[in-house]
Each structure stands twice: as C-alpha cells, then as structure tokens.
Amino acid sequence: MKLRQFAFIAGVLTAAVVSGSGPLETIAPQRPVPAGAVEVLDLNGLRNVAFGDTEDELTRRGILRSDVHACGPMLAGHEMASPVFVEDRLVLVWAGDPMRTPEGVTAGTPVAEVWFRYPSVTRLHAPPGTYRFDGLLARRGDRAYLFLHDGREVRKVIAGYADWARRLFDEGAGPC
C-alpha cells in the first residue's frame, strides 16, 4: 500500500470517527436519488463496479471521477459510496446513506438486527481510550461487511475484501 495513501486514509477515518459523520455526508449528490430508491452494496460491489476493478478500468469506463471536490476519487452514479483502492484495485467501499446491504442493513440499523441478519458475525473491539467505533465483521469467503457501531446502532457500513476490512479496522483507517 502506498504510504501517502495509507496516511491519508488514517487521517480521514480519525476525522470521521471524531465528528460522527462520514466524509461524503456534506457533499450533495450530483444526481438526485429518486424517492424510495436505495442503492444496494453487496459483497461483489455495486451496480457496474466490482471489487478488484482497477482504477484505470473504472476511469476508462467513465465511472471513476477525480474532478470533484472530495477527499478522493468518487464513483459516478454512486455518489454516496467512497471507494478505497490498494495497488490500483478497488478493495473496499464505504457506504453512505441511503445505501444498504442486500439484507437491509444500513446506518441506523440496530446492532441486534445485524446479529439477526448475520448470525456468524465476529465482534471487534476498538482500542480503549480511542474515539473509534466497535465493529462487527460479517465474513463470507474472502469478502466481508464491516459494520462500525456505537453499541446501539450501525454508524458506518463498509464492504469488500475481508482481509482489507479487518486491516482497516485494526489500523483505524478511513475511506479516503
């Protein structure tokens, strides 16, 4: 992983956790989301974006945009998603409201419901004395959802490669 990208990721996560809001929540979507429309983030990725896609491929297809005022590149048509690339590959996506998992988990979902929908989740504890959220890791093969929570409800949803999700949690890194 590039040192500059890692430092940037760590800084953004710290700021997002301390503020209690995601980095994209203050950026207005470029296209309005139709009423009732909720985008689904699954363990393969998003509509027309898959984990493992390269930055070059997504740029060539017109999906990866770096011309917007954000903390990093954005995915056109997925303005509430914050992509994380490692060595030119999409490895994680931070989901902003109103995105959800196929099982219906989104920011604001009670932790008890996450346990119900993903019975084999692994509990992850934030280091004592930090301002980081605890996590629940719902792993399926080499992919996983990471649900950051405050003990009552989900605050952030991240999906992608399980090893990168766990590393992100352990290192306290963020979406960009």
Side-chain angles (χ1 to χ4, degrees), residues 105-106 109-119 121 136 138 147 154:
V105 176
T106 187
T109 299
V111 169
E113 189 172 328
V114 175
W115 280 98
F116 176 75
R117 296 189 184 275
Y118 303 93
V121 296
L136 296 172
F147 303 107
V154 173

Side-chain angles (χ1 to χ4, degrees), residues 6-74:
F6 175 77
F8 191 66
I9 290 170
V12 170
L13 176 65
T14 301
V17 169
V18 169
S19 72
S21 62
L24 295 180
E25 291 172 356
T26 58
I27 300 172
Q30 294 176 357
R31 285 182 279 188
V33 177
V38 176
E39 189 165 11
V40 175
L41 172 63
D42 64 28
L43 292 178
N44 293 315
L46 296 160
R47 168 186 44 79
N48 72 0
V49 177
F51 294 115
D53 282 351
T54 67
E55 291 180 77
D56 290 341
E57 167 68 17
L58 293 172
T59 300
R60 187 172 52 256
R61 291 176 25 213
I63 295 171
L64 187 65
R65 300 188 53 218
S66 58
D67 61 337
V68 293
H69 298 291
C71 60
M74 292 186 64

Side-chain angles (χ1 to χ4, degrees), residues 57-142:
E57 167 68 17
L58 293 172
T59 300
R60 187 172 52 256
R61 291 176 25 213
I63 295 171
L64 187 65
R65 300 188 53 218
S66 58
D67 61 337
V68 293
H69 298 291
C71 60
M74 292 186 64
L75 300 170
H78 306 283
E79 286 75 17
M80 302 316 294
S82 186
V84 176
F85 293 91
V86 175
E87 296 175 5
D88 191 43
R89 298 268 178 196
L90 179 65
V91 297
L92 296 170
V93 170
W94 285 63
D97 227 7
M99 296 178 83
R100 64 172 179 81
T101 69
E103 295 78 12
V105 176
T106 187
T109 299
V111 169
E113 189 172 328
V114 175
W115 280 98
F116 176 75
R117 296 189 184 275
Y118 303 93
S120 62
V121 296
T122 302
R123 187 183 310 262
L124 304 174
H125 299 283
T130 65
Y131 292 100
R132 292 170 41 194
F133 292 118
D134 286 338
L136 296 172
L137 188 70
R139 187 176 184 135
R140 287 192 202 135
D142 70 339

